Amino acid sequence: MRSSNTLLIFGGLCLTILVACSPDRSALNWLHKTERDWAKLENKQPEWPEMLDSEALQNRLDFLAESLGKTQNWVQKPLDAAVKTKLTALVTDLEAAQSHLETQQSDPSSYNLGLRLRSLFAPDQPFEMKKLEDLENYLDQASVYYRQAKQKLQAPAPNQCDSAVAQHIISITYLREELGAKIAESNLPNLKIKQLNQKISRSCLYMKDYLAWCRSMAFEARN
């Protein structure tokens, strides 16, 4: 009797090991690990995705490229249909994330401080005091924002540079006129209004420099 029980236990243990080591289980383990690792990277994402520095951006792209390759290898194996469906969905998600991040290396229009600030303040609405801290924070980061943009962009296409130039002309006008008017009509102290206007002027200089850089990149590409 004891021998029979031992055999049953041993048999059950062997079955458990076989299931745990099956291709389907291994594929699911890979899938769940990849999802967890990507989620950890996403949790470190800045509020504005394009504010990733060049090293963080490249680390994410390297992770996605490696994960995509391995996930696609799993898809090609003879696996259960339900497992393949989950792996295919993961490939779709990783490719979407990869495409979104690659724009930071190819499209100068993905960087636009003016457009970002405009999203903070609805058109035809008065200045919202609760957003003052955010406004100052982003204006103070203008130099870093555009320095990182130029570091990350790799041979952008001329037409994309042209688009970035046109968009930044509009954004500079927005900062100086629409946003400036909102601030002037706010209940802020005169000293704070003056400080904000100075920060806006400084940010516009960084935007002008980026605009000129985009024009230069387009000129070089065409010649």
Side-chain angles (χ1 to χ4, degrees):
M1 187 70 175
R2 181 178 297 176
S3 176
S4 177
N5 287 338
T6 302
L7 286 173
L8 286 172
I9 295 171
F10 180 73
L13 180 61
C14 289
L15 180 61
T16 301
I17 292 172
L18 285 173
V19 171
C21 296
S22 71
D24 290 336
R25 175 52 56 189
S26 296
L28 286 174
N29 287 341
W30 160 257
L31 183 148
H32 295 321
K33 181 181 183 303
T34 302
E35 288 178 332
R36 288 194 302 271
D37 290 345
W38 178 243
K40 289 178 183 177
L41 287 173
E42 286 284 85
N43 287 337
K44 298 177 182 177
Q45 187 96 319
E47 184 177 355
W48 294 353
E50 74 272 20
M51 292 185 78
L52 285 169
D53 61 40
S54 55
E55 182 179 357
L57 174 63
Q58 193 57 56
N59 286 343
R60 281 165 169 73
L61 287 172
D62 290 345
F63 172 87
L64 290 168
E66 180 181 356
S67 298
L68 273 168
K70 291 182 178 180
T71 306
Q72 287 166 338
N73 287 339
W74 278 114
V75 171
Q76 295 169 8
K77 295 180 183 295
L79 300 171
D80 179 79
V83 175
K84 279 200 172 188
T85 297
K86 291 182 178 180
L87 288 167
T88 301
L90 177 62
V91 168
T92 299
D93 291 343
L94 294 179
E95 286 179 339
Q98 184 182 57
S99 176
H100 181 71
L101 289 175
E102 284 176 344
T103 61
Q104 295 189 39
Q105 293 181 329
S106 61
D107 187 0
S109 297
S110 59
Y111 306 95
N112 192 327
L113 183 63
L115 187 63
R116 283 296 192 176
L117 292 177
R118 198 173 193 278
S119 69
L120 285 175
F121 302 95
D124 303 321
Q125 294 295 319
F127 185 86
E128 296 183 55
M129 298 295 290
K130 63 182 180 181
K131 296 181 179 179
L132 175 61
E133 185 176 347
D134 286 339
L135 173 61
E136 290 196 273
N137 179 46
Y138 295 132
L139 289 172
D140 289 340
Q141 293 187 65
S143 62
V144 174
Y145 185 88
Y146 284 109
R147 182 175 70 248
Q148 290 182 347
K150 289 184 281 188
Q151 289 173 347
K152 287 182 283 184
L153 286 163
Q154 301 173 4
N159 64 317
Q160 291 178 315
C161 291
D162 294 339
S163 177
V165 168
Q167 290 179 33
H168 273 77
I169 291 173
I170 294 171
S171 289
I172 290 170
T173 302
Y174 162 74
L175 287 180
R176 286 178 168 172
E177 297 182 5
E178 186 176 333
L179 183 58
K182 284 181 184 290
I183 292 171
E185 295 167 2
S186 70
N187 294 321
L188 291 168
N190 289 336
L191 178 58
K192 175 56 70 175
I193 291 176
K194 181 179 179 181
Q195 290 172 342
L196 286 172
N197 285 332
Q198 289 174 340
K199 291 183 178 186
I200 287 173
S201 295
R202 189 160 54 246
S203 295
C204 285
L205 289 177
Y206 292 118
M207 294 170 73
K208 280 184 171 182
D209 178 72
Y210 183 69
L211 183 157
W213 182 84
C214 288
R215 280 177 172 158
S216 175
M217 293 294 287
F219 178 82
E220 290 179 13
R222 290 190 172 102
N223 292 277

